[in-house]
Amino acid sequence: MAKFFVVLTVSLMLHVDLVAAVEIKKKPIKIVTNNWTSQIVLSKVVGEVFSALGYQVQYLKTSVSDQWGALAHGVAHLQVEVWEGTMADMFNRMVAEGSVLDAGEHEAKTREDWWYPAYAEKVCPGLPDWQALKACANQFAIEGDNFGTYFAGPWEKPDEARIRALGLNFRVRNLKNGDDLWVELKKAYAEQRPIVLFNWTPNWVESRYAGKFVEFPAYDPVCESDPAWGVNGQYLYDCGNPKNGWLKKAAWHGMPDTWDCAYRTLKKINFSNQQIASAAALVDVDLLSYDAAAKQWLQENKVTWQGWIPGDCVN
């Protein structure tokens, strides 16, 4: 009789564990989506991988500023594309507080700065050195302007301060939408007309257009706080933006205990610059939907994503 109760107890425990595992799989993992292409496609790729493991997945569209509260309180559970250049302060603070987990770094390195197509070097010799722009600003002029034009997106960047500090004969033209940058690039490229505009990596542009970032004086945080630092002793921002920034993944602090295999998979997920660029190009150039782009990327990169899944998580 005692043996019977032992067997019964073990069976009940196994049943409870199985039921609990099933219930956990039913609880949706909510993935943050922001407002740029690569982040959305990568989020969909990760969602498809989790779905292959049997998890339910939902997507939560939120701004960069609002995502941190959502992640800290478990309203959202992960963000797959955290940029050092624009998110490091909040990310590092919340990781230090323990409300968000650092789920690992991608192979990809980030950069955001002025960029030009390679053919511009024919009319502006000396590029990518920023001082070349002093001698050939007129090559980047539009509509008969005597000033060169730098095309910027709708984001707040210290471009005008940099132009003043470095003595560049340029004006900033802020575009209403980030996608308008690529409209301008496409028009200029078709005409082989020199253009300099805001760009970043990883981004789809590098998979379709040859070009380079302008090499400004090397970045140092003091450049933004002490006018006496740098090539201009009077003004701030006489430097470029940081190079080789990290790209990380963030997770809700409760994710490891709630979805063990999903979290361990997330930690192994790793994208290169080229992989991210090609994924974004499927939408921005080939005009696929985000979902279709994610599915195509997964189809073309089976060995890569299957290698992210720990062996003991495969059914």
Side-chain angles (χ1 to χ4, degrees), residues 52-75:
L53 288 170
Y55 293 105
Q56 299 296 311
V57 173
Q58 292 179 3
Y59 299 96
L60 181 65
K61 185 178 180 180
T62 184
S63 67
V64 169
S65 58
D66 290 342
Q67 69 186 354
W68 303 113
L71 288 166
H73 294 97
V75 175

Side-chain angles (χ1 to χ4, degrees), residues 82-123:
V82 178
W83 287 61
E84 180 177 11
T86 51
M87 303 186 208
D89 288 346
M90 186 62 75
F91 174 78
N92 290 334
R93 190 179 87 187
M94 298 193 77
V95 168
E97 292 172 353
S99 54
V100 168
L101 297 176
D102 182 340
E105 190 171 327
H106 294 287
E107 175 188 330
K109 296 300 179 185
T110 64
R111 186 175 181 183
E112 302 171 271
D113 224 320
W114 292 30
W115 183 95
Y116 63 89
Y119 61 77
E121 293 182 356
K122 296 177 182 177
V123 297

Side-chain angles (χ1 to χ4, degrees), residues 140-162:
F140 297 91
I142 57 173
E143 300 172 357
D145 198 345
N146 292 324
F147 291 83
T149 296
Y150 166 70
F151 290 93
W155 311 285
E156 291 185 12
K157 304 285 183 181
D159 295 306
E160 291 181 353
R162 177 188 287 171

Side-chain angles (χ1 to χ4, degrees), residues 127-141:
L127 284 173
D129 189 316
W130 68 275
Q131 295 188 76
L133 294 176
K134 286 190 169 185
C136 60
N138 63 310
Q139 295 293 341
F140 297 91

Side-chain angles (χ1 to χ4, degrees), residues 115-117 119-120 140 149 151 181 184-185 188 193-197:
W115 183 95
Y116 63 89
Y119 61 77
F140 297 91
T149 296
F151 290 93
L181 290 167
E184 295 295 337
L185 175 58
R193 172 170 45 84
I195 184 173
V196 61
L197 69 162

Side-chain angles (χ1 to χ4, degrees), residues 5-26:
F5 280 114
V6 170
V7 172
L8 179 61
T9 300
V10 171
S11 297
L12 286 171
M13 290 174 64
L14 290 172
H15 176 70
V16 169
D17 287 344
L18 181 61
V19 170
V22 170
E23 288 304 311
I24 286 172
K25 291 264 180 151
K26 286 182 179 178

Side-chain angles (χ1 to χ4, degrees), residues 141-200:
I142 57 173
E143 300 172 357
D145 198 345
N146 292 324
F147 291 83
T149 296
Y150 166 70
F151 290 93
W155 311 285
E156 291 185 12
K157 304 285 183 181
D159 295 306
E160 291 181 353
R162 177 188 287 171
I163 287 170
R164 180 179 68 171
L166 294 178
L168 299 176
N169 195 33
F170 272 78
R171 288 178 174 152
V172 178
R173 175 174 288 194
N174 289 103
L175 302 175
K176 292 182 179 180
N177 189 295
D179 289 339
D180 292 337
L181 290 167
W182 320 134
V183 173
E184 295 295 337
L185 175 58
K186 186 176 180 180
K187 288 192 299 186
Y189 208 90
E191 301 168 7
Q192 293 290 284
R193 172 170 45 84
I195 184 173
V196 61
L197 69 162
F198 177 72
N199 194 8
W200 61 90

